[in-house]
Amino acid sequence: MPARLTASILLLLTVLSACAREGDSGPVPSATAVAPAPSANPTDSAWIQLMIPMDQQAVALLDLAAEKATGPRLRAWAARLRTDQAAELTELRGLRTRMGLPDTDLHEGHDMPGMVTAGDLASARASEGAAFDRLLVAQIQDHLRQSQQVSRSETTAGSGAEATARARELVTARGRQLASLTSLCAGRAADVPEPFACHSDHPV
């Protein structure tokens, strides 16, 4: 990863860590919450509290693909990814509970890199045909890349054993998911300029 991008991701985690510390002054978690692991640091908390809403919003967009995606390959790919993301969400929420963190969304309304926003979802609902396909591919690819980059930074800046281990697994999973997305445009992937998109003349 280029040094500038690495610095940007680490800066993002630093800002999110500060948000997480500020959030500690909010409502006290319920008595059933597990106390945070002593080895966890604010970066671990910031990472988990970012990844969960990122996945939630991505799932919401992938839900639309079942009805609106025009190509069978794209629909099948979106369905598989939706299943993976839902399973990932369950694991991340369990980790959040074990870390003793509240289930509030600290990033609600924020336009974070890689986050599918409410505006994006509104545009997706209003789009049809190839326009929806392009929006889906572009937004999900951004989600996969940004969550991979943030998770990679968590593996080096975090201190909680479970959080960093989960982040490493997520980095690997994102590599597979991005490769699968690229294969949707098989035969053109090698020369498609960044950011990747399936063009209307190459249906999926």
Side-chain angles (χ1 to χ4, degrees):
M1 185 188 306
R4 182 177 299 175
L5 182 55
T6 301
S8 297
I9 297 299
L10 288 172
L11 177 60
L12 173 61
L13 279 175
T14 299
V15 172
L16 295 177
S17 298
C19 292
R21 286 193 293 269
E22 290 175 5
D24 290 342
S25 62
V28 177
S30 66
T32 58
V34 180
S39 60
N41 66 14
T43 298
D44 301 314
S45 300
W47 172 75
I48 194 74
Q49 289 177 312
L50 175 61
M51 287 304 310
I52 289 173
M54 286 184 77
D55 278 5
Q56 288 174 167
Q57 293 296 96
V59 166
L61 179 56
L62 290 165
D63 281 340
L64 295 175
E67 300 176 2
K68 299 175 72 72
T70 59
R73 291 177 61 210
L74 181 57
R75 285 196 301 273
W77 174 84
R80 289 192 300 271
L81 181 60
R82 199 262 182 223
T83 298
D84 290 346
Q85 295 275 283
E88 186 175 285
L89 261 175
T90 298
E91 294 177 2
L92 291 172
R93 286 167 175 156
L95 175 57
R96 179 180 63 188
T97 298
R98 291 190 294 278
M99 292 174 68
L101 298 172
D103 61 3
T104 52
D105 183 358
L106 300 180
H107 308 293
E108 186 174 3
H110 296 175
D111 187 6
M112 309 295 293
M115 184 81 75
V116 177
T117 66
D120 295 329
L121 289 174
S123 296
R125 293 186 186 102
S127 299
E128 300 292 341
F132 173 82
D133 292 349
R134 287 192 295 270
L135 186 152
L136 173 69
V137 169
Q139 293 294 336
I140 291 299
Q141 188 195 38
D142 189 42
H143 160 70
L144 295 176
R145 283 182 169 168
Q146 294 291 343
S147 57
Q148 183 185 49
Q149 291 164 0
V150 171
S151 296
R152 187 176 287 117
S153 294
E154 158 64 15
T155 65
T156 58
S159 65
E162 189 175 5
T164 53
R166 188 68 193 90
R168 283 192 293 272
E169 292 173 358
L170 194 148
V171 169
T172 301
R174 289 294 184 268
R176 292 195 302 267
Q177 291 157 357
L178 284 164
S180 178
L181 177 56
T182 298
S183 72
L184 288 173
C185 290
R188 296 189 56 177
D191 59 1
V192 171
E194 301 296 341
F196 173 88
C198 289
H199 299 292
S200 58
D201 62 343
H202 192 82
V204 295

